[in-house]
């Protein structure tokens, strides 16, 4: 029995694949877009606790998206060789969109982290008291800058 005989026709797996392509992956992508919008908003408004929470949730969404893409790829391994071209045409656009969205999020995440570091350093500089030298002369304190 050859390896291709153990595999199934695309028609048999198509409902599961279509579910991933039309429902699961687009849902993950939309959720990721919402996280990105929230990250940008919380960063602008300097709501650090919400920003941190949003980064965590967005990271989970990226993991879910990658997991769902792996599931599609597992289904692809079960399809007969003569159906692979059609299958590839079905899933490649979704995989490319997911890949682009993930890369875009990771870039936003990197920029956000850099911006947070910059803002933290700027705020820390503003909060530091200036270096002064005090001298007590006759009960009066004189400050020298």
């Amino acid at each position: 029995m050859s390896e291709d005989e153990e595999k199934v026709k695309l028609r048999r797996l198509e409902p599961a694949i279509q579910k991933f392509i039309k429902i699961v992956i687009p849902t993950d992508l939309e959720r990721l877009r919402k996280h990105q919008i929230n990250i940008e908003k919380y960063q602008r408004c300097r709501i650090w606790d919400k920003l941190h929470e949003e980064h965590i949730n967005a990271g989970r969404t990226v993991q879910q998206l990658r997991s769902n893409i792996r599931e599609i790829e597992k289904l692809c391994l079960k399809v007969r060789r003569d159906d692979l071209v059609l299958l590839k045409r079905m899933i490649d656009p979704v995989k490319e969109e997911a890949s682009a969205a993930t890369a875009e999020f990771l870039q936003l995440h990197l920029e956000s982290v850099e911006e947070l570091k910059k803002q933290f350093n700027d705020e820390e500089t503003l909060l530091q008291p200036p270096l002064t030298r005090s001298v007590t002369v006759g009960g009066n304190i004189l400050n020298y800058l």
Side-chain angles (χ1 to χ4, degrees):
M1 188 175 232
S2 76
E3 184 180 311
D4 207 39
E5 290 175 8
E6 295 173 12
K7 296 187 177 189
V8 297
K9 288 190 173 275
L10 175 59
R11 194 175 52 205
R12 193 149 168 230
L13 292 176
E14 194 169 0
I17 292 169
Q18 287 294 336
K19 180 181 173 191
F20 273 104
I21 292 172
K22 295 191 188 274
I23 299 169
V24 175
I25 301 298
T27 300
D28 289 342
L29 290 172
E30 182 58 30
R31 192 177 311 122
L32 186 59
R33 282 186 201 99
K34 287 180 180 177
H35 287 308
Q36 288 175 313
I37 290 167
N38 288 339
I39 286 170
E40 290 168 349
K41 177 176 72 177
Y42 294 145
Q43 187 168 332
R44 265 193 323 272
C45 297
R46 296 178 178 226
I47 305 173
W48 308 126
D49 54 335
K50 292 275 190 186
L51 178 65
H52 178 68
E53 191 176 309
E54 205 63 38
H55 273 286
I56 290 169
N57 291 333
R60 289 179 182 148
T61 300
V62 167
Q63 288 176 341
Q64 185 64 49
L65 186 59
R66 288 178 174 166
S67 173
N68 287 331
I69 293 296
R70 279 193 300 275
E71 287 299 316
I72 289 177
E73 290 170 346
K74 284 181 189 176
L75 286 174
C76 291
L77 295 174
K78 296 178 181 181
V79 174
R80 286 188 177 175
R81 189 174 312 185
D82 53 340
D83 289 334
L84 286 178
V85 173
L86 180 58
L87 177 63
K88 193 167 174 49
R89 264 189 289 183
M90 288 170 62
I91 66 168
D92 278 355
V94 174
K95 284 175 64 174
E96 289 170 12
E97 186 179 1
S99 178
T102 301
E104 184 182 331
F105 165 72
L106 293 175
Q107 182 62 36
L108 173 71
H109 182 72
L110 180 65
E111 290 169 3
S112 180
V113 168
E114 292 301 318
E115 180 65 25
L116 280 173
K117 284 181 184 176
K118 181 182 175 290
Q119 288 179 2
F120 179 75
N121 288 337
D122 289 349
E123 285 179 10
E124 198 172 69
T125 302
L126 290 174
L127 293 175
Q128 288 179 348
L131 296 175
T132 60
R133 179 174 281 158
S134 298
V135 177
T136 305
V137 178
N140 295 326
I141 297 177
L142 304 173
N143 287 327
Y144 296 100
L145 297 176

